[in-house]
Amino acid sequence: MEAVMISVLGLFALGIICWEAWRERVRASKRIPAEWQAALGRIANEQELGHYRHARQGILQACRRIEHHQDSARLAKHLHVRLAGLLARDPIYTEVVRTIRSACAEEPAVSEVVLCLTLGDYLVEDIRQCMAIAESFGQIRRRDAGADSLVIPRPTPSM
């Protein structure tokens, strides 16, 4: 009888240890790694200082890092949401995406040259940077058509 009680007590203790280890693993998977927290903090600081081009460059690098490193899907989605929140504060990015969508309301695609001429108040470097980010987020896709590149909006962004 004592052997059965000790065995049951041992199994109960083992069950508690396994349950705690599983809980800690779940908690760890929900946290963002420190390197990503630092990167997001740097991007946010750049935006607060008004250095939107540097912030967009950081966002583009983060998107490429997510694509190449294939972090967990949950972490990648969470990082995309955080990066999208930072992009919402960027005046040029929102204007570029809005212009692409409105230009493609009548045509299925818009020429990159026409887009740059339409957004004449902004530098071509900024416009191309915004298009690269939008392509990383799945909002648009680009297709080469001879000497020019066509920009095609996607109806629903995929992340």
Side-chain angles (χ1 to χ4, degrees):
M1 183 69 172
E2 287 182 21
V4 173
M5 288 289 279
I6 290 174
S7 297
V8 169
L9 187 60
L11 286 174
F12 181 70
L14 185 61
I16 289 176
I17 290 170
C18 289
W19 182 68
E20 283 295 324
W22 178 76
R23 260 185 46 187
E24 183 59 33
R25 185 174 172 205
V26 168
R27 254 188 260 135
S29 70
K30 289 183 179 179
R31 284 187 232 136
I32 297 177
E35 63 189 39
W36 281 108
Q37 286 286 8
L40 292 171
R42 281 193 301 272
I43 293 168
N45 287 338
E46 290 288 340
Q47 276 191 335
E48 287 177 13
L49 294 173
H51 303 149
Y52 292 109
R53 184 175 298 141
H54 295 293
R56 281 191 305 274
Q57 185 63 34
I59 290 171
L60 185 58
Q61 288 173 354
C63 288
R64 289 180 179 157
R65 202 166 114 198
I66 290 169
E67 289 172 10
H68 292 293
H69 286 74
Q70 296 299 332
D71 291 326
S72 71
R74 182 182 191 128
L75 178 62
K77 286 183 181 180
H78 184 75
L79 290 171
H80 273 114
V81 169
R82 295 277 302 266
L83 292 171
L86 290 170
L87 282 171
R89 291 188 253 162
D90 189 337
I92 297 174
Y93 179 80
T94 54
E95 186 63 31
V96 168
V97 173
R98 184 179 309 124
T99 303
I100 290 170
R101 295 215 181 270
S102 65
C104 291
E106 299 166 7
E107 300 284 328
V110 64
S111 167
E112 190 174 308
V113 173
V114 171
L115 183 66
C116 290
L117 291 173
T118 304
L119 295 165
D121 295 340
Y122 304 117
L123 295 174
V124 173
E125 176 185 350
D126 290 335
I127 296 168
R128 286 192 170 164
Q129 198 176 42
C130 291
M131 286 190 301
I133 293 170
E135 192 171 25
S136 292
F137 274 100
Q139 294 174 317
I140 66 168
R141 64 184 171 96
R142 291 190 269 191
R143 186 181 71 203
D144 290 332
D148 194 14
S149 181
L150 294 176
V151 180
I152 305 163
R154 290 189 173 173
T156 56
S158 61
M159 289 190 189

